[in-house]
């Protein structure tokens, strides 16, 4: 930046945070006082020389928020959104971080060059508290400078930081990383729609970035909404879109969208304060803080979290088991009905084994998926899930991950598919990929019957201990894998991360059900299509050829068995009769035999054995059989033959 050009610096902060003291410390007697254009709000401007550079300091009216309720707040907001100063100094009361950081989160949304000045550090130290300034700078993605404005301490360092940011802006290097508050699935979807509309109509410019404008409109900001009329039909179209989305959000969330935006921003500030503040003095706690003292307690927080996770799975699988059984019966009935209605052949096989079997394999798990997401939505909407992530954050940091990574891992004990889906909420791509790669090591519910079978067969006296050890081994392997991945192929610095701790809420039934349905439908639509496709591929690999090369030999042996049985009981078989498992004898002769007699039972068992051998011969010569026979050479040391090897190939579709 040219040294001849003055740098415009705006000071923004809450009332009574030391803003005036800082302005006076920076400018001394070099001040001009007047009114802002059009309003009777005092405007103060001053200048300062530092490191051979000229800085013009603008003292904005104190405001708690950029959602204006008073004329002076409107002045501050409009200046920041429209005038776009070179650098903003956000002065924050260090003894009241949570409330002051609410404005900081809004300034971050404006995407303007920012330096945060933590004032009243003397008060913080007097109270015995400690602030991790470097960590706060990492979390906010901007310089943070400790300050005692009334004594001028830290002013020189603050000006250095301002010049550094101004130079970075001039060189196109600021910010290195954009920090944004995530407002939740519903609000973010609405923001995205409004942003898309604004990008389609570039003539509409209400001041500030597109995302900022979208948030203000959805909050119900009357100043921004009133300007839309100036833009004719496009402005009226945007007004109608915003009005409709606000009505939908109010119905879904049970409160006005503006309140939800504010709570998310407060949650971000509270989370950041929790990350950096080491408090030594007890203050008067709000209800949320009192609850958090129990739920995020260093000792009791983890057992409470594990109990709620256990309760989530207990409810999911206890209530889901009868529903899964009903779906299994339904698809079995549907398969039987189609088999009866359709003639034997390739098309019946495709419909019954491929389509109905594939769809059934997907949908049979839907009750558990839906119930699991209902429980998770309750925990999320109530505000507890963020606390669970906070409780696990210290442990997850040791793995190179954040507390949020633990949630997908816990979900992985129920089902891998929604666990991978849950990992998409992680902002850091490397964290997300490490989490996705380690989630399959969590033993999902589908594996438990296999564990029980194997443990009961090989360790009948210690089956429970062995199953617990398998689950524990999966966790330990996940921990080890995460550490290795984070230190090798996915090595890198962790992105700034804040545990957003929103206030507690009683979740609305509509919101919980809608969130659960959207996620369950995503499972059916995305995972279901992949699984169905895989099932059809497996069916195609195993369905051809339709006849085994030696099928005629098996048919002759079946006919020989039928004749031997008929001679033994004194029956005469008609010419051209073709016996099979479904029709061991002609219908007109069946009435003359006792189906419970030993001879008839042995005869039908013989037919079933021959049919199984014929099917095995056909499968052996199918593409799947050739693949299995090829794998058998590799699997031979394990004692696996080509049949088990073929089953392993099909097992990939069944599991993944």
């Amino acid at each position: 930046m040219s040294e001849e050009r003055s740098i415009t610096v705006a000071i923004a902060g809450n009332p009574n945070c030391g803003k005036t003291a800082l302005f006076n410390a920076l400018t001394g007697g070099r001040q001009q006082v007047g009114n802002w254009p059009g309003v009777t709000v005092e405007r103060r401007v001053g200048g300062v020389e530092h490191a051979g550079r000229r800085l013009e300091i603008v003292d904005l009216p104190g405001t708690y928020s950029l959602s204006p309720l008073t004329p002076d707040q409107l002045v501050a907001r409009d200046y920041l959104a429209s005038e776009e100063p070179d650098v903003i100094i956000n002065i924050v009361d260090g003894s009241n971080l949570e409330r002051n950081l609410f404005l900081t989160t809004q300034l971050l949304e404006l995407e303007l060059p920012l330096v945060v000045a933590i004032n009243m550090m003397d008060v913080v130290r007097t109270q015995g508290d400690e602030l991790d300034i470097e960590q706060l700078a990492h979390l906010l993605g901007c310089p943070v400078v400790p300050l005692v404005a009334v004594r001028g301490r830290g002013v020189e360092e603050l000006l250095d930081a301002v010049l550094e940011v101004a130079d970075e802006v001039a060189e196109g290097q600021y910010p290195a990383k954009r920090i944004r508050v995530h407002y939740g699935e519903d609000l973010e979807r609405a923001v995205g729609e409004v942003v898309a509309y604004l990008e389609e109509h570039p003539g509409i410019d209400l001041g500030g970035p597109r995302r900022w404008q979208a948030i203000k409109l959805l909050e119900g900001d009357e100043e921004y909404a009133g300007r839309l009329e100036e833009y004719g039909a496009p402005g009226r179209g945007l007004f109608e879109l915003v009005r409709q989305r606000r009505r939908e959000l109010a119905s879904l969330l049970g409160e006005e969208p503006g309140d939800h935006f504010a709570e998310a921003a407060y949650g971000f500030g509270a989370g950041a304060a929790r990350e950096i503040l080491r408090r030594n003095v007890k203050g008067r706690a709000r209800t949320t803080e009192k609850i958090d003292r129990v739920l995020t307690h260093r000792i009791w927080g983890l057992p409470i979290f594990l109990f709620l996770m256990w309760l989530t799975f207990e409810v999911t699988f206890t209530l889901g088991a009868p529903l899964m059984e009903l779906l299994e019966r339904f698809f079995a009935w549907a398969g039987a009905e189609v088999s009866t209605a359709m003639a034997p052949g390739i098309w019946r096989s495709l419909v019954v084994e491929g389509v109905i079997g594939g769809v059934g394999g997907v949908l049979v798990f839907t009750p558990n998926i839906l119930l699991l997401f209902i429980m998770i939505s309750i925990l999320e909407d109530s505000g507890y899930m963020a606390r669970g992530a906070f409780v696990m954050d210290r442990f997850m940091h040791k793995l190179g991950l954040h507390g949020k990574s633990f949630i997908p891992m816990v979900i992985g004990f129920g089902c891998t598919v929604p666990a991978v889906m849950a990992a998409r909420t992680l902002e850091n791509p490397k964290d997300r990929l490490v989490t996705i790669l380690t989630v399959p090591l969590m033993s999902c519910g589908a594996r438990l019957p296999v564990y029980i079978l194997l443990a009961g067969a090989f360790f009948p006296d210690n089956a429970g201990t062995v199953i617990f050890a398998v689950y524990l081994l999966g966790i330990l392997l996940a921990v080890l894998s995460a550490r290795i991945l984070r230190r090798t192929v996915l090595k890198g610095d962790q992105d700034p991360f804040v545990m957003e701790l929103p206030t507690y809420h009683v979740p609305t039934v509509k919101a919980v059900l809608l969130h659960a349905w959207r996620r369950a439908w995503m499972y059916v639509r995305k995972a279901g299509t992949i699984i169905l496709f895989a099932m059809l591929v497996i069916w195609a690999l195993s369905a051809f050829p339709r006849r085994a090369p030696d099928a005629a030999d098996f048919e002759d042996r079946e006919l020989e068995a039928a004749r031997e049985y008929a001679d033994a009981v004194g029956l005469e078989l008609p010419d051209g009769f073709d016996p099979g498992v479904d029709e061991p004898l002609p219908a007109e002769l069946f009435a003359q035999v006792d189906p419970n007699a030993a001879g008839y039972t042995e005869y039908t068992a013989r037919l079933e054995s021959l049919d199984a051998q014929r099917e095995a011969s056909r499968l052996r010569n199918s593409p799947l059989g050739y693949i299995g026979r090829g794998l058998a050479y590799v699997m031979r040391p394990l004692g696996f033959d080509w049949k088990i090897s073929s089953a392993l190939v099909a097992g990939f579709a069944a599991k993944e």
Side-chain angles (χ1 to χ4, degrees), residues 193-519:
E193 292 181 19
V194 177
V195 168
Y197 189 99
L198 287 168
E199 289 176 346
E200 292 173 2
H201 300 83
I204 302 177
D205 186 4
L206 306 177
R210 298 294 190 190
R211 177 179 170 86
W212 165 263
Q213 296 177 48
I215 292 172
K216 292 294 107 182
L217 289 170
L218 289 169
E219 281 181 346
D221 190 296
E222 295 181 359
E223 176 70 19
Y224 272 54
R227 299 180 192 172
L228 292 178
E229 189 65 31
E230 303 172 10
Y231 297 97
R236 289 190 293 273
L238 179 56
F239 181 87
E240 183 60 29
L241 172 65
V242 170
R243 188 177 66 85
Q244 183 177 350
R245 293 298 174 268
R246 279 178 47 79
R247 185 168 57 244
E248 292 173 356
L249 289 170
S251 174
L252 178 62
L253 302 174
E255 60 183 357
E256 290 299 317
D259 296 335
H260 218 70
F261 277 110
E263 288 170 1
Y266 271 119
F268 184 93
R274 179 71 65 91
E275 288 278 340
I276 71 160
L277 176 62
R278 303 294 178 267
R279 188 178 292 280
N280 191 39
V281 178
K282 293 183 179 180
R284 188 168 57 89
R286 299 173 298 176
T287 301
T288 291
E289 293 171 339
K290 292 179 180 178
I291 298 174
D292 278 345
R293 287 181 179 178
V294 177
L295 296 184
T296 63
H297 192 272
R298 294 177 63 88
I299 297 176
W300 301 114
L302 183 58
I304 292 172
F305 173 74
L306 294 177
F307 168 75
L308 290 174
M309 291 299 99
W310 169 84
L311 182 63
T312 295
F313 293 118
E314 185 69 16
V315 170
T316 297
F317 291 105
T318 300
L319 297 181
L323 299 175
M324 285 183 62
E325 184 177 351
L326 286 175
L327 280 178
E328 288 174 345
R329 291 180 179 179
F330 169 77
F331 285 110
W333 169 83
E337 290 294 315
V338 172
S339 296
T340 302
M342 295 182 68
I346 184 66
W347 294 111
R348 186 174 78 173
S349 176
L350 172 63
V351 174
V352 175
E353 300 171 17
V355 177
I356 295 180
V359 172
V362 174
L363 296 184
V364 73
F365 291 102
T366 304
N368 276 1
I369 298 294
L370 185 60
L371 287 169
L372 180 62
F373 280 136
I374 285 176
M375 295 299 295
I376 292 173
S377 293
I378 291 173
L379 294 176
E380 288 179 340
D381 293 356
S382 67
Y384 177 76
M385 191 62 86
R387 272 75 182 180
F390 180 83
V391 167
M392 292 304 303
D393 186 53
R394 179 171 300 183
F395 171 74
M396 298 305 291
H397 267 296
K398 295 179 181 179
L399 309 184
L401 298 173
H402 290 297
K404 281 186 177 180
S405 297
F406 188 72
I407 304 304
M409 291 183 176
V410 171
I411 296 173
F413 285 114
C415 182
T416 305
V417 172
V420 172
M421 291 162 55
R424 301 194 323 174
T425 61
L426 296 169
E427 293 84 357
N428 187 326
K430 292 184 178 179
D431 285 346
R432 184 164 56 249
L433 187 54
V434 170
T435 304
I436 290 173
L437 291 174
T438 54
V439 155
L441 293 170
M442 305 291 112
S443 295
C444 69
R447 301 182 201 179
L448 185 58
V450 180
Y451 292 164
I452 293 174
L453 176 65
L454 295 178
F458 294 103
F459 308 97
D461 298 329
N462 301 288
T465 303
V466 170
I467 292 173
F468 174 76
V470 172
Y471 271 81
L472 184 61
L473 178 62
I475 296 172
L476 294 177
L477 286 175
V479 170
L480 180 62
S481 300
R483 287 184 65 88
I484 293 174
L485 289 169
R486 244 347 197 144
R487 296 185 177 187
T488 54
V489 293
L490 296 174
K491 185 177 181 180
D493 295 333
Q494 295 180 3
D495 276 355
F497 175 80
V498 176
M499 289 289 183
E500 299 180 26
L501 302 179
T503 55
Y504 288 100
H505 288 281
V506 177
T508 65
V509 175
K510 181 178 180 180
V512 168
L513 293 179
L514 187 56
H515 290 163
W517 169 249
R518 283 175 177 167
R519 293 172 176 176

Side-chain angles (χ1 to χ4, degrees), residues 3-300:
E3 293 187 2
E4 289 77 23
R5 178 184 179 274
S6 64
I7 301 170
T8 303
V9 180
I11 301 178
N14 289 187
N16 305 314
C17 67
K19 194 164 54 63
T20 299
L22 175 61
F23 181 77
N24 291 334
L26 289 173
T27 63
R30 300 177 296 277
Q31 302 177 10
Q32 297 177 0
V33 179
N35 287 340
W36 291 88
V39 293
T40 57
V41 176
E42 186 179 81
R43 171 191 176 103
R44 298 201 305 166
V45 180
V48 61
E49 298 278 344
H50 183 74
R53 313 280 287 277
R54 173 73 180 177
L55 291 85
E56 181 181 78
I57 311 298
V58 180
D59 184 19
L60 298 177
T63 178
Y64 292 107
S65 167
L66 296 183
S67 299
L69 298 175
T70 62
D72 49 353
Q73 292 178 349
L74 182 61
V75 164
R77 199 274 302 280
D78 284 351
Y79 178 82
L80 293 172
S82 302
E83 299 293 331
E84 296 185 357
D86 296 313
V87 181
I88 300 172
I89 296 176
N90 174 214
I91 186 165
V92 171
D93 181 356
S95 63
N96 195 356
L97 276 177
E98 289 188 18
R99 186 185 71 184
N100 281 244
L101 287 176
F102 174 72
L103 177 62
T104 306
T105 62
Q106 294 187 318
L107 292 172
L108 290 172
E109 289 286 8
L110 269 174
E111 302 179 8
L112 294 177
L114 185 67
V115 176
V116 174
I118 305 295
N119 193 29
M120 303 186 186
M121 289 298 296
D122 54 342
V123 177
V124 173
R125 298 188 185 98
T126 300
Q127 293 176 342
D129 297 342
E130 295 179 5
L131 300 180
D132 189 341
I133 299 298
E134 292 183 3
Q135 175 69 355
L136 182 59
H138 186 58
L139 295 173
L140 298 179
C142 66
V144 178
V145 179
L147 195 68
V148 182
V150 293
R151 293 180 173 85
R153 298 176 186 170
V155 171
E156 294 294 316
E157 293 79 0
L158 177 62
L159 291 174
D160 289 340
V162 168
L163 292 179
E164 180 179 350
V165 168
D167 290 338
E168 289 177 357
V169 172
E171 296 167 5
Q173 298 177 354
Y174 183 91
K177 182 171 292 294
R178 180 72 63 195
I179 306 299
R180 283 180 173 174
V181 180
H182 190 274
Y183 295 104
E185 178 183 350
D186 301 304
L187 291 177
E188 289 291 342
R189 184 183 300 106
V191 169
E193 292 181 19
V194 177
V195 168
Y197 189 99
L198 287 168
E199 289 176 346
E200 292 173 2
H201 300 83
I204 302 177
D205 186 4
L206 306 177
R210 298 294 190 190
R211 177 179 170 86
W212 165 263
Q213 296 177 48
I215 292 172
K216 292 294 107 182
L217 289 170
L218 289 169
E219 281 181 346
D221 190 296
E222 295 181 359
E223 176 70 19
Y224 272 54
R227 299 180 192 172
L228 292 178
E229 189 65 31
E230 303 172 10
Y231 297 97
R236 289 190 293 273
L238 179 56
F239 181 87
E240 183 60 29
L241 172 65
V242 170
R243 188 177 66 85
Q244 183 177 350
R245 293 298 174 268
R246 279 178 47 79
R247 185 168 57 244
E248 292 173 356
L249 289 170
S251 174
L252 178 62
L253 302 174
E255 60 183 357
E256 290 299 317
D259 296 335
H260 218 70
F261 277 110
E263 288 170 1
Y266 271 119
F268 184 93
R274 179 71 65 91
E275 288 278 340
I276 71 160
L277 176 62
R278 303 294 178 267
R279 188 178 292 280
N280 191 39
V281 178
K282 293 183 179 180
R284 188 168 57 89
R286 299 173 298 176
T287 301
T288 291
E289 293 171 339
K290 292 179 180 178
I291 298 174
D292 278 345
R293 287 181 179 178
V294 177
L295 296 184
T296 63
H297 192 272
R298 294 177 63 88
I299 297 176
W300 301 114

Side-chain angles (χ1 to χ4, degrees), residues 548-565:
D550 51 356
D553 178 57
F554 285 104
E555 291 168 358
D556 291 342
R557 292 162 65 183
E558 290 172 349
L559 183 58
E560 180 183 353
R563 286 172 176 169
E564 290 178 1
Y565 174 74

